[in-house]
Amino acid sequence: MSAPERIPPGSVTPGVAPAALLAEGELTVRGRIREASNAALFCTVALDGQEASCIYKPIAGERPLWDFPDGTLAEREVAAYEVSEVTGWGLVPPTVLRDGPYGEGMVQLWVEETPETELLALVDGEEAGPGWKAIGFAEVGEGRTALLVHADDERLRRLSVLDAVINNADRKGGHLLPTSEGQLYGIDHGVTFNVENKLRTLLWGWAGEPLTPDAVGVLKGLRDALGDGGTLGIRLAGLITAAELAATRARIGALLTSGKHPEPSGEWPAIPWPPV
């Protein structure tokens, strides 16, 4: 297949849930995302005269991961969306698990990003400067180092909380999609929900700082939704293992007990490679 053109997402009539369009619409493959490490297909999905662009990742195209032996990337991507929806922050594009031309897989609404939005930067010196949070030093060639920073942006801060909940092992810069409407989405959540602490992210700027009241309220809502008979717990039970679900509850409890953003554990590389 040829590489896809960046077709703008089709409009969805107000009142029509994007998740329903993704789950029930006719899925047509338009091309392949060649830079993806697993099979990722650019598609359109159409239902009752409505059409939108989306990405389809069939389970048959996943490469086995020794440190994520349970479940599938597709199921974890959908689980991340389910958690995001309960937060009310809308940080993950609508995502469903469904059958497609190459078997069951994850289908996610395509997001057109705004490339000019600067969320990451390299700066000289040892201070991040106003409006930025330090991540760490990076080699930039010829024996030089620079400070890697991310924007001091509330949307990123919320995403860092979501990542701590789902135990995201791969929050790279390329997985951050700001839009022209001011929304920020995170994508590629296939390596999440591990029982072991594998948090690996570029969003360490708030490490050790107190959680915002907004984040605390969201975490309490997640705790309730994952309690006995909670709707989120029921949905996740079909996507991740019982041990992974218990570990998610434990991470939320730990965040509420500490009242702070997590810090690198030292047991796992803190920053993904490559970072972008």
Side-chain angles (χ1 to χ4, degrees), residues 83 165 193-195 225-227 230 232-252:
V83 174
V165 169
F193 294 100
N194 202 293
V195 172
L226 287 172
L232 180 59
I234 294 171
R235 290 198 294 270
L236 293 190
L239 298 167
I240 60 177
T241 68
E244 289 168 338
L245 184 54
T248 302
R249 293 189 181 104
R251 285 191 297 272
I252 293 170

Side-chain angles (χ1 to χ4, degrees), residues 51-115:
E51 182 176 285
S53 301
C54 60
I55 183 168
Y56 162 49
K57 297 181 181 180
I59 292 172
E62 297 180 5
R63 298 178 181 178
L65 297 173
W66 66 268
D67 53 343
F68 283 81
D70 299 315
T72 66
L73 303 180
E75 288 170 320
R76 290 189 286 269
E77 292 239 34
V78 176
Y81 167 70
E82 295 287 355
V83 174
S84 171
E85 283 299 279
V86 173
T87 68
W89 288 336
L91 294 170
V92 179
T95 311
V96 302
L97 191 69
R98 60 163 288 177
D99 195 31
Y102 299 100
E104 188 176 48
M106 179 278 283
V107 177
Q108 184 175 83
L109 192 68
W110 183 268
V111 172
E112 287 291 340
E113 63 178 311
T114 305

Side-chain angles (χ1 to χ4, degrees), residues 5 41 50 72 76 83 94-95 123 136 143 145 164 174 203 214 221 224 230 242 270:
E5 297 180 17
L41 305 174
Q50 302 303 312
T72 66
R76 290 189 286 269
V83 174
T95 311
V123 298
T145 60
L203 304 180
D214 176 41
D224 294 343

Side-chain angles (χ1 to χ4, degrees), residues 205-264:
W206 297 281
E209 293 187 16
L211 295 165
T212 65
D214 176 41
V216 171
V218 163
L219 290 169
K220 289 180 178 178
L222 285 173
R223 179 187 60 192
D224 294 343
L226 287 172
D228 292 340
T231 54
L232 180 59
I234 294 171
R235 290 198 294 270
L236 293 190
L239 298 167
I240 60 177
T241 68
E244 289 168 338
L245 184 54
T248 302
R249 293 189 181 104
R251 285 191 297 272
I252 293 170
L255 286 167
L256 286 169
T257 297
S258 72
K260 297 180 180 180
H261 287 266
E263 299 180 79

Side-chain angles (χ1 to χ4, degrees), residues 19 97 105 135 147 159 179 202 205 224 233 251:
L97 191 69
I135 303 168
L147 184 63
L159 191 57
T179 73
L202 287 177
D224 294 343
R251 285 191 297 272

